[in-house]
Amino acid sequence: MSPALSPEAFVTGLYQSCLGRLPEPGAVDFWIDLMQQRGDPTVVLAGLMGSEEFRARASTASPSDDKLAALAGDAFRRLDRRPRVVDVGAQLMGPGSHPYDPLRAFGQLDVVGFDPLEHRLNERIAAEAGDGLLLLPYAIGDGGTHTLHINNADATSSLFPLNAAHNARFPQLAAFHTVRTEQVATRRLDDVLAAGPVDFLKLDIQGAELMVLRSATKTLARTAVIHCEVEFSPIYEGQPLYPDVQVFLNAEGFELIDLVWSGKDYYATPSGESASDRLLWADAVFFKQTDDRDVMIAQALIAAAVYGKPTLAEHLLSKAAAA
């Protein structure tokens, strides 16, 4: 007889089955608490299947996997080099948790990652060590010294303090609190990143994304795709919100392609009912507007392999062939 799943594994498995992704920070603890309160493990399944994310996932006709694989494979061959990924906020959240992981199905990557919590980088090195992975314990920012707020869930640690008054309205956010703070000297991405193309720039640094982007204009000039966490509500005090990020990146020559992997919560009420009532954050995907052949091929690879967008990938490959 197989051993029973732990509550953590049970919740994680339901997320992967229903939503095709790992739980957002704090979600596992939230659902375990709710299961214990109600004495009913099916509350997790009901909550996930009742979410807008599940309904959208179920109702969207997926393009043929073979079509996407063919487009990505064609793009990878045309690129004729390792795709280069820059990962700002490079903690390991679990197997397959990096948004660029699907690219590994087509060949090796060059990954440069940054995170100020060195023990988290060591965990990733132990799990993923191999050719093409370089992880550096730097806090990427604007080059100034800032206070790092280290929270009970490491992945929520930020250069901005948690907005306790705002977060108290939402059960999942209310669970986060700051454990300690420390002063960190941030580094500008333009100053620490070696020369060369950046095919995929991922930023997940809890509200400080725009700080990094504003200090990385040289890097942005050689970047094909940006995958950037954005917030629609001030989870952190003083943080920029999504419109600020979009305005800046539009001015730098990027256009929004999609909002993916959104995070929603519900309001704390006397009934304790759960729902997907408030959009709080998402990952925003921006592509550089360009006629550069190499950049368009890299974009086509990412469009097909990472985001499952066959017409975008085909459009970019056609433009690259004509360039």
Side-chain angles (χ1 to χ4, degrees):
M1 180 179 293
S2 299
L5 288 174
S6 68
E8 291 81 4
F10 175 74
V11 173
T12 300
L14 286 179
Y15 263 80
Q16 291 173 323
S17 298
C18 294
L19 305 182
R21 63 174 177 85
L22 292 170
E24 59 270 24
V28 171
D29 290 341
F30 165 77
W31 287 114
I32 291 174
D33 287 344
L34 194 60
M35 284 191 293
Q36 291 172 345
Q37 292 170 20
R38 301 192 181 181
D40 181 8
T42 65
V43 69
V44 186
L45 182 60
L48 295 181
M49 292 184 68
S51 70
E52 291 181 13
E53 184 177 355
F54 177 83
R55 289 193 292 270
R57 179 179 169 84
S59 64
T60 302
S62 298
S64 164
D65 289 343
D66 291 341
K67 170 75 170 178
L68 289 169
L71 287 165
D74 184 20
F76 192 91
R77 287 188 294 273
R78 292 198 208 182
L79 191 63
D80 197 29
R81 59 171 174 79
R82 289 187 184 186
R84 189 180 186 214
V85 173
V86 175
D87 189 340
V88 182
Q91 293 185 25
L92 177 64
M93 302 300 294
S97 61
H98 308 306
Y100 47 84
D101 278 340
L103 293 172
R104 300 184 191 278
F106 300 92
Q108 290 184 311
L109 309 179
D110 285 330
V111 179
V112 182
F114 304 95
D115 198 281
L117 299 180
E118 192 167 359
H119 67 288
R120 291 303 187 193
L121 294 186
N122 290 335
E123 289 176 356
R124 182 169 175 183
I125 290 170
E128 299 181 6
D131 292 340
L133 178 64
L134 174 63
L135 299 177
L136 300 170
Y138 300 160
I140 302 300
D142 58 4
T145 298
H146 297 271
T147 299
L148 176 64
H149 303 264
I150 301 171
N151 300 327
N152 55 322
D154 278 351
T156 67
S157 298
S158 175
L159 296 179
F160 294 90
L162 285 164
N163 188 342
H166 169 275
N167 297 346
R169 294 181 292 167
F170 305 102
Q172 294 185 60
L173 294 181
F176 301 139
H177 61 272
T178 298
V179 176
R180 60 187 174 88
T181 61
E182 62 182 52
Q183 295 297 298
V184 294
T186 67
R187 306 189 188 210
R188 294 171 2 119
L189 196 56
D190 279 351
D191 296 334
V192 297
L193 189 62
V198 177
D199 300 308
F200 192 96
L201 172 59
K202 171 242 169 178
L203 301 105
D204 184 357
I205 45 176
Q206 309 306 305
E209 290 81 7
L210 187 55
M211 177 194 295
V212 169
L213 291 168
R214 284 175 170 161
S215 302
T217 53
K218 292 180 181 178
T219 299
L220 296 182
R222 51 193 171 107
T223 296
V225 175
I226 297 174
H227 183 108
C228 177
E229 185 177 74
V230 294
E231 279 82 32
F232 301 94
S233 191
I235 297 170
Y236 300 91
E237 293 182 10
Q239 71 164 113
L241 297 179
Y242 166 71
D244 305 302
V245 175
Q246 167 128 19
V247 167
F248 176 78
L249 286 178
N250 285 165
E252 292 295 318
F254 291 84
E255 60 181 348
L256 178 71
I257 297 298
D258 206 350
L259 296 172
V260 299
W261 302 328
S262 60
K264 299 181 180 182
D265 205 348
Y266 58 92
Y267 289 83
T269 60
S271 69
E273 182 177 356
S274 61
S276 299
D277 284 352
R278 180 68 178 265
L279 174 65
L280 295 171
W281 72 87
D283 287 348
V285 179
F286 295 89
F287 276 41
K288 172 71 68 65
Q289 300 177 70
T290 182
D291 292 321
D292 184 284
R293 177 183 176 277
D294 192 64
V295 174
M296 289 188 288
I297 290 172
Q299 290 175 332
L301 168 61
I302 293 163
V306 176
Y307 301 116
K309 297 185 179 300
T311 64
L312 176 57
E314 188 173 350
H315 165 72
L316 289 164
L317 287 174
S318 296
K319 280 188 65 179

